[in-house]
Amino acid sequence: MPLPSYVRPSLLFRRPLLRNIFFTLGGLASWAPMVFFFNDNVAQLMWVTGPSMYPFLNTDYNSTTRKDVVFVNMWAPWEGMKRGMIVALWSPYHPENMIVKRVIALEGDEVVTRKSYPIERAVVPLGHVWVEGEHPEDRKTLDSNTYGPVAKSLIVGQVKAVVWPWSKIGIIRWEDYRGNPRVLKAKHTFEEYQPPR
């Protein structure tokens, strides 16, 4: 005896192939918000393009199209910010692009700028950092010598490791950065400063 129409299973559940596709897509879709949250707030892999960070990253940028891939920690990007750290940030000139640069000066530091900057010396204001590329030629990098100190709010993460190519895989040891002779360090950061009583 046939079942009434309100009891019959739908066409979707009578066909195993359609049922499998439906449940597979549903399962994948349920993970999408978690993946987006992870990429936007926890960590992501980022491809480094261009010569700006040469020779530290993209060491063979002029002989091949291969790009370095780095691991970016995006959880609390400004926490523990130090001179020498490599960061990923939104470009002040092209806000749709993320760029990778080295922090060479913190708030309160004085920087002797390169030729492309309009003034000879700049003091990094509160809530900002001075970032530069590694390339020895000024024209090969757009950095703070072009657009000035960068607001910390543009920094999206700290670059922690190189994951590709295999020959360079490993943790980035920013602690080995010796500093830049063009930076006159502030006696205190703004967070450490205590006004006299």
Side-chain angles (χ1 to χ4, degrees):
M1 173 169 156
L3 295 171
S5 63
Y6 62 87
V7 179
R8 289 186 190 147
S10 69
L11 176 64
L12 178 65
F13 293 103
R14 285 191 304 203
R15 303 229 172 136
L17 178 62
L18 289 176
R19 183 176 52 224
N20 288 342
I21 291 172
F22 174 76
F23 283 116
T24 301
L25 291 177
L28 290 175
S30 68
W31 277 92
M34 183 62 83
V35 170
F36 289 126
F37 175 82
F38 189 86
N39 271 349
D40 287 344
N41 299 296
V42 180
Q44 72 171 308
L45 296 179
M46 185 174 180
W47 281 256
V48 180
T49 60
S52 168
M53 289 301 289
Y54 173 85
F56 192 76
L57 297 171
N58 282 351
T59 53
D60 49 0
Y61 78 93
N62 54 1
S63 61
T64 182
T65 58
R66 183 176 66 200
K67 301 172 182 128
D68 287 5
V69 180
V70 294
F71 174 79
V72 181
N73 178 2
M74 300 172 81
W75 195 260
W78 318 301
E79 196 171 305
M81 186 67 60
K82 304 271 190 232
R83 291 171 200 88
M85 284 184 162
I86 297 179
V87 295
L89 62 142
W90 292 108
S91 170
Y93 265 20
H94 306 286
E96 69 279 1
N97 295 335
M98 254 196 249
I99 57 176
V100 174
K101 302 290 180 197
R102 185 183 294 274
V103 174
I104 69 157
L106 301 172
E107 42 199 26
D109 291 349
E110 186 176 354
V111 180
V112 177
T113 62
R114 290 182 178 166
K115 291 182 274 192
S116 54
Y117 200 64
I119 57 176
E120 188 176 315
R121 290 177 180 259
V123 176
V124 180
L126 179 66
H128 290 69
V129 293
W130 191 274
V131 295
E132 289 189 0
E134 298 283 296
H135 205 287
E137 294 179 40
D138 292 351
R139 62 184 177 81
K140 297 272 187 176
T141 178
L142 285 176
D143 53 28
S144 287
N145 289 294
T146 306
Y147 39 72
V150 174
K152 285 183 176 180
S153 61
L154 292 177
I155 297 173
V156 296
Q158 298 175 10
V159 177
K160 296 294 188 180
V162 176
V163 296
W164 182 261
W166 292 112
S167 59
K168 292 175 59 182
I169 197 165
I171 302 293
I172 290 178
R173 297 186 44 80
W174 63 267
E175 301 89 356
D176 294 343
Y177 179 70
R178 299 201 190 298
N180 193 311
R182 296 184 300 108
V183 176
L184 306 167
K185 295 179 184 174
K187 292 183 180 170
H188 303 281
T189 64
F190 286 106
E191 286 92 13
E192 296 171 341
Y193 179 72
Q194 296 292 324
R197 294 180 186 192

